[in-house]
Amino acid sequence: MSGIAGLVFASGRPVTADMLDRLAAATPHLGIDGVGRWHDGPAGFVRFALHTTPEATTEAQPHADRASGAVILFDGRLDNRDALREALGPADPGAAAPDCVIVLAAHGRFGDELPQRLVGDYALAIWQPGTRRLFAARSPVGMRPFLWTRQDGFFAFASEPSTLIRGLGLPKRLNEGALGEHLAARGWTESETLWDGIYRLPPGHALCVDGGRVRSWCWN
């Protein structure tokens, strides 16, 4: 299976290689085609790769843009590559570019309106080092999970709860309210999970982390 994970310290504390190694080791069943890591200053990303498209076999994630320094994690499939490349004009990275490179270029062009330009099944995260801002989004299809937690001093996200709980050493506390709703087969909130303190970004939603504050909205 494929997946993504990341860690951002609001205090500016640097993310270390050991921290990312623990996130990666928490879900050893992910990343059949390799695990990529990146960290710089207060942010770090992990990519669990599973190649499902021809373009994916040539990509290296996390991917950093040399000009802006922005870094992307893209778990999914882009179905409107040609249309998106045409919309980019001179910023088009080329026909051979992997999906993640095209999407990062599109973010540089369209900013937070990026999801409205994408067609496909995906969960993504983009770190902007200049502003220390994290942007994340999920497609309306909702097949690629994006879970997140905000603890004292840091924000973290992953495709699976075990990456966060084991990788960060979080307490294993059940969300009793969500568990009760689930067992009663009643309406279950879109954003809560069965784990206390771990939240789900719903399909068709975006999220940003800026200065330690988390904001999410429905873009679809």
Side-chain angles (χ1 to χ4, degrees):
M1 295 176 61
S2 62
I4 57 178
L7 177 63
V8 176
F9 283 107
S11 64
R13 175 186 174 184
V15 173
T16 66
D18 288 345
M19 295 175 186
L20 298 184
D21 287 344
R22 287 194 291 271
L23 288 175
T27 43
H29 59 281
L30 296 179
I32 293 175
D33 290 319
V35 178
R37 299 169 178 82
W38 167 90
H39 63 95
D40 184 30
F45 284 171
V46 177
R47 167 62 169 154
F48 304 95
L50 175 63
H51 300 154
T52 58
T53 66
E55 294 82 12
T57 60
T58 64
E59 72 179 8
Q61 289 198 59
H63 169 75
D65 179 73
R66 292 183 180 180
S68 67
V71 185
I72 186 171
L73 284 174
F74 184 81
D75 180 27
R77 184 191 69 253
L78 183 62
D79 292 336
N80 64 331
R81 288 172 53 89
D82 293 341
L84 194 56
R85 289 180 50 227
E86 183 177 355
L88 286 173
D92 173 21
D99 289 351
C100 64
V101 176
I102 297 174
V103 173
L104 185 58
H107 181 260
R109 172 74 172 79
F110 303 113
D112 286 358
E113 295 182 359
L114 170 68
Q116 287 92 322
R117 297 279 180 164
L118 305 182
V119 177
D121 172 28
Y122 61 83
L124 65 87
I126 297 173
W127 171 249
Q128 298 169 278
T131 56
R132 291 191 174 185
R133 184 176 188 265
L134 180 76
F135 173 80
R138 257 184 103 194
S139 68
V141 177
M143 296 299 292
R144 311 280 175 159
F146 188 99
L147 307 177
W148 63 273
T149 184
R150 181 175 61 177
Q151 303 290 326
D152 185 20
F154 70 84
F155 175 92
F157 65 90
S159 298
E160 294 195 3
S162 56
T163 307
L164 300 174
I165 295 171
R166 297 173 184 168
L168 298 172
L170 301 181
K172 297 179 181 179
R173 291 196 301 262
L174 289 174
N175 181 344
E176 294 183 0
L179 179 60
E181 290 184 5
H182 178 68
L183 294 176
R186 295 182 178 273
W188 192 10
T189 174
E190 283 190 316
S191 59
E192 291 191 23
T193 72
L194 294 175
W195 297 99
D196 185 41
I198 296 179
Y199 302 92
R200 175 189 298 105
L201 185 65
H205 280 63
L207 173 152
C208 75
V209 183
D210 192 355
R213 296 180 297 274
V214 180
R215 179 173 68 92
S216 65
W217 64 96
C218 178
W219 62 263
N220 182 39

